[in-house]
Amino acid sequence: MKGNTTSWVVACVGAVVAGVGTMVGGTLGAGITGFGLAHIVLGILDMFRPTVRQ
């Protein structure tokens, strides 16, 4: 799998988790939403990371 594909998967899984967190609601839902948003940010940041050529 290419590195860019992995970044997209991480960002999409984060979006799903953030959506679930908003449906749960409350303090637990806020934690789940934050966890999902962190994955979205990390996935997007990974897309801009320079690649290492071997």
Side-chain angles (χ1 to χ4, degrees):
M1 192 176 346
K2 293 183 179 180
N4 197 15
T5 306
T6 305
S7 301
W8 276 107
V9 169
V10 170
C12 290
V13 168
V16 170
V17 171
V20 169
T22 56
M23 288 191 293
V24 170
T27 306
L28 179 63
I32 295 171
T33 302
F35 188 74
L37 291 175
H39 276 79
I40 293 170
V41 169
L42 290 174
I44 291 171
L45 286 175
D46 192 39
M47 289 181 201
F48 294 109
R49 188 175 63 175
T51 57
V52 176
R53 296 185 182 224
Q54 296 181 356

